[in-house]
Every structure is written in C-alpha cells, then in structure tokens.
Amino acid sequence: MRTQVGIVGAGPAGLTLARLLEVAGIESVVIENRDRDYVEHRIRAGVLEQGTVELLREAGVGARMDREGIVHHGIHLQFEGERHHVPLSELADGRSIMIYGQTEVVKDLIAARLESGLPLLFEVDDVTVHDLQTELPRIRFTHDGAAQELECDVIAGCDGFHGVCRPSIPSGILRTFEREYPFGWLGILAQVAPSIDELVYAHNDRGFALLSLRSPELSRYYVQCRPDEDLAEWPDERIWEELQLRTGLAGWTLHEGPILEKGVTGMRSFVAEPMQHGRLFLAGDAAHIVPPTGAKGLNLAVSDVRILADALIDWYRSGTTAGLDGYSNACLRRVWRAEHFSWWMTSMLHKLGEDPFDLQLQLSQLRYVTSSQAAARSLAENYVGLTTL
Ligand code: FAD
Ligand code: PHB
C-alpha cells in the first residue's frame, strides 16, 4: 500500500488531520487499534475553544455541532462558600466556548471520512513505524489477520500518550518534561438536566469539584480523588454526597439522576520536544498531556494538526519545507502556554494537602481573578483560546 500521509490513531488529532488533508486534496490512510464503537464512546473532553469550533466548521464537519452544541459565554469559580461569575466573552473580545462532547466530534469526523469513502482502518494490531529518516517512511501492521505495509511520504503520530510513535524515536533525541499530580478526577455522566447554566469550578476543603454538561439532559460532573482511587468504594450515593458537599450553596439545588458512566482519570503534565523526527510528526496527546482543569487537551490536538496540515499543504503545492521544518517550534509556543495555564488552574483549584500557606495562596489567587479585571481577562483569554500565539 502507498499513500501520501500515514496517520496512526483515530482520535481527534488523527481524524481532524485526515479531514483537513482531504479538503486540500492530499491522500491519507488512518489506522486505529481499537474498534469504531470504542473510539466513538470514549468519554473525555467537552469544551471546544472558538478556534476549534471554527476549524471544524471550515472543514465541513460542523453542521451537527452547530445544531446541538451549546455556546457558553462564561464560567463560575466557587470558593469560600461563594460562586463568582467570570464573563469570558466580555473579557475576551466576544470570544466564547462551545459545549460539545469529544465523542460527538469523533463521530462526526468518522462519519464524514466514511461518507467520502476514504481509508480508515479500525482494529489494526502490531503497529510499528520504520525508516523515519528516509524519504519513504513505512508503517507495518496487521489487519484482518494479514500483515500490511504502508509506504508514505510522511507519518503523523496521532496515537495518544500510550501510542507507539513517540517511543519509536531513537533515545537521546527527545527531551521530555513531566509533572505528576498526587490526585485524579472521578468523573460521572448523569441522566439529569444540568443544575446551572454554565460550568462551575469549585475549590473546597474536601477537594475540587467541577460541574459540566453534555446536553440539556446530560450532566458531566467530577470530584477530585486519589489517582489510584478504587471505583468500588464509590457507590452512586457517595458521589452525589461529595458533589453536594463540595458545590452546595444556600438557595441552589444540585439535582441528582441516574449515573450512566463512571471513571477515574489520573492527572499529569507532559511535553516531548521536538515534536518531529525525520518524516515522523507527533500531534496531540502523543506529544503532550495537560491536566484537564484548563479544558485544553483536545483543543491543543486540533491546533497541532492545523499547523501540520498547513505545512503539508505548502510542501505538496510548492515544495517548500519551511512549514514542516518549523512544525515543532510553531506548535510548542501554544503547547507551553496551555501547559502553564492548565498547571495554574489545577494548582489554584485542587486540595494540595494540609499546608495552610498553600491554601492561603490559592484563596488569594481566586479572590484576585474574581475581583481584578486584569487578572480575570488573563484567565478568560487563555480559557477561550489565545489568538495571538
Ligand atoms: P487520543 O484521543 O488519545 O487518540 C489517540 C488514538 O490513537 C486513540 O483512538 C487510540 O486508540 C489510538 N492508538 C493508540 N495506540 C495506537 C496504535 N499503536 N496504533 C493505532 N492506534 C493507536 N481536552 C479538552 O480540550 N477539553 C476538555 O474538556 C477535556 N476534558 C478531558 C476530560 C478527561 C476525563 C480526559 C481523560 C481528557 C480530557 N481532555 C480534554 C483531553 C482530551 O480528551 C485529549 O487531549 C484528546 O483526546 C487528545 O486527542 P488525540 O487525538 O491526541 O489522542
Ligand atoms: C468536561 O465537560 O468533561 C470538562 C469540562 C471542563 C474541563 C474538563 C472537562 O476543564
């Protein structure tokens, strides 16, 4: 098999890249090791930056998002028993965010790819990448029991944090930066209308909690927990009790409903530099991870592949390699901004331990971002997505 761009991974990064290349008339093959149903139902992100929304629209995959997604113009920060509104759009030149699940983005991209009749192989095994520093890198894998080899001009490693592409780069080339956090999130999807119109990020003595949503009928809620928390210790009643204790306010009710899904996510910050080696280009979680508190992971994956698609388009149209050569540097400016923002939001909102000094610093920072226009504007422009990077 031969293609122009071999794409490993059918998450948001791989599927969006494939779509951008399709629109530009560039061939690709996408290979994914899980089945379609798994990929379409893996519950993760829910907040799209305006830039992500615009890109999906321009790529012709925004119709259902525009019908079903919910535009939000603000968020709430809750601490010391009070809820404070941060009017994102007012503070960030009218820009907004869209609530539309990653599952839905992925479903729309898969549907579009299959409708175009373009190659997207699920349930491939034994994926390996070869000859990265030649002009003909290759991907080997098995599919339907048969060994396959795909010759490409370039390979896009969009295979997430646990994928095979990043570890295929010989040792000594990548520099990695990492921070693990001593906590995780226990997340639920509940069949109940959201109890509040916008997201609530709550700082509490018992630990952080987040109220989010997926639709007018589905709420998505999180509570800070141990990174290795055993779900068996969290019957539904305990989860609701914690949510009530951490987000409760006089005169406001958090409505409960059947829990449809439960899961625990660890939290880490991670960056691998450079995001390229020869003809292999890493994008999305394959190259970097942020803790979810800033809602940046999916948005970063999309901004990486936008840069990669533009560089590939330039290369195929005019032979110039400047975009490809500068790919990693161009991505990393935004990546490091999101790393800082996500670390900052995480550090400001989670229970870090018992140190009273840490607690006072958090509360001071929270009071500052909810009382100073300058501080709130900084939070807002990062949250909706910076346009100047
Ligand atoms: P992935 O989604 O991980 O996709 C990689 C794909 O590659 C997967 O389908 C995987 O099966 C496949 N793959 C792996 N190995 C191989 C292999 N060897 N061969 C072939 N295929 C392979 N981000 C936000 O922007 N906003 C949010 O609100 C947000 N909330 C989050 C909440 C939670 C609980 C979690 C866990 C994450 C959240 N994120 C959020 C982060 C976001 O989900 C990720 O950053 C995003 O999925 C990255 O997309 P990706 O395509 O790079 O990687
Ligand atoms: C979500 O809705 O899943 C969500 C929202 C905001 C975050 C993280 C996750 O910061």
Side-chain angles (χ1 to χ4, degrees), residues 297-375:
L298 182 154
N299 294 296
L300 274 185
V302 169
S303 86
D304 287 352
V305 298
R306 176 206 293 261
I307 293 170
L308 183 54
D310 286 347
L312 287 165
I313 292 166
D314 271 0
W315 184 52
Y316 280 114
R317 290 202 181 141
S318 65
T320 168
T321 61
L324 286 176
D325 295 343
Y327 168 72
S328 179
N329 284 341
C331 291
L332 285 167
R333 285 175 64 83
R334 192 178 195 84
V335 167
W336 275 111
R337 180 88 297 280
E339 289 288 343
H340 177 268
F341 179 68
S342 304
W343 163 84
W344 175 72
M345 287 284 281
T346 302
S347 315
M348 175 171 71
L349 286 159
H350 289 74
K351 185 177 173 77
L352 302 175
E354 299 301 332
D355 186 339
F357 186 80
D358 282 343
L359 174 62
Q360 292 306 327
L361 291 183
Q362 287 183 320
L363 294 174
S364 171
Q365 187 67 33
L366 283 161
R367 287 181 210 119
Y368 183 46
V369 292
T370 50
S371 59
S372 152
Q373 267 253 343

Side-chain angles (χ1 to χ4, degrees), residues 44 46-47 185 199 201 210 212 214 220 222 292-293 295:
R44 287 170 133 192
V47 176
W185 282 10
L199 272 61
Y201 287 84
L210 170 62
S212 181
R214 284 293 176 275
R220 178 79 172 145
Y222 299 94
T293 329

Side-chain angles (χ1 to χ4, degrees), residues 54 64 75 83 87 93 99 121-122 141 147 190 203 218 248 262 325 370 386:
E54 285 163 4
R64 192 165 70 95
I75 56 169
R83 196 170 280 168
D93 299 328
I99 305 300
L121 311 182
F122 289 101
F141 57 95
H203 176 281
L218 286 176
K262 271 185 219 181
D325 295 343
T370 50
L386 282 160

